[in-house]
Amino acid sequence: MFKAYKGFIIGIIMGALLMTALPSMAATTKQTYSLTDATYPIVVNGSAYVNSEQPVMNYKGTTYVPLKAFGEMMGADVIWDEVKRQVEVRHDGAPNCNSAFCHVKVSGSGGTYTVTGEGRVFEAVMAYAVEDGHNYLLESFHTLDSGAPAWSPFQLEIVIPEEQLPENGTLILELFEYSAKDGSKINTLIIPLETFSP
């Protein structure tokens, strides 16, 4: 009689083990992120961002800032469009400026952009990078006609291959210069290039 129930008991034990193991296995596929407080200041057009309720965070060397607060510091409106179910960032057309870059304008789409403006950088060398919110897709430099304190016009032709364009997100252009003192990035100006959605 024991032999008759042996298979049944083993089946119940195996079923119980599988039922407890499956949720654990499923939990291991869920990705988690550990953000830490950024220990460095974020300065936008000469004003430091300080907000203890919505702090700047860091994840694996990438800085994350509250979109609405950062947009407002850049002079843009950040709104939720209930009909489209999306966040929209709108700029009133005022010139994008800081102490090194000004009157920056972007034209183009689909990975091909022309960026014009004026730069005032040490030894006439400005740097720029394009990122998708996670990774840098392009990093380069451009030499202006003259260095600071003079302002010089510039034009950048930026091409991002189609396979590198985000399916959902915004391409961001960073204009900056490297400090002659310690080689760090300074005078960074953030310019949205294009927003993509599925």
Side-chain angles (χ1 to χ4, degrees), residues 40-58:
Y40 42 86
I42 302 296
V43 180
V44 180
N45 295 330
S47 299
Y49 173 79
V50 179
N51 188 326
S52 59
E53 294 181 7
Q54 296 178 343
V56 175
M57 305 299 285
N58 185 287

Side-chain angles (χ1 to χ4, degrees), residues 118-196:
E118 296 178 347
R120 180 174 63 180
V121 295
F122 180 71
E123 293 189 348
V125 178
M126 61 179 279
Y128 62 96
V130 176
E131 54 110 350
D132 62 3
H134 304 287
N135 303 300
Y136 281 102
L137 307 177
L138 169 71
E139 293 183 73
S140 190
F141 68 92
H142 177 76
T143 304
L144 300 172
D145 291 335
S146 58
W151 286 97
S152 293
F154 66 83
Q155 180 170 315
L156 307 175
E157 300 297 335
I158 296 174
V159 178
I160 304 298
E162 185 177 351
E163 62 272 11
Q164 289 186 295
L165 297 175
E167 292 182 13
N168 187 20
T170 301
L171 280 182
I172 300 292
L173 171 67
E174 294 180 11
L175 302 177
F176 58 94
E177 61 178 319
Y178 288 106
S179 168
K181 182 178 179 180
D182 60 12
S184 62
K185 285 183 179 181
I186 59 172
N187 296 323
T188 301
L189 184 64
I190 305 297
I191 307 290
L193 290 177
E194 186 174 5
T195 299
F196 298 83

Side-chain angles (χ1 to χ4, degrees), residues 91-127:
H91 197 272
D92 63 4
N96 292 318
C97 288
N98 66 12
S99 61
F101 305 100
C102 200
H103 303 102
V104 179
K105 295 180 181 176
V106 176
S107 61
S109 64
T112 302
Y113 311 96
T114 298
V115 181
T116 59
E118 296 178 347
R120 180 174 63 180
V121 295
F122 180 71
E123 293 189 348
V125 178
M126 61 179 279

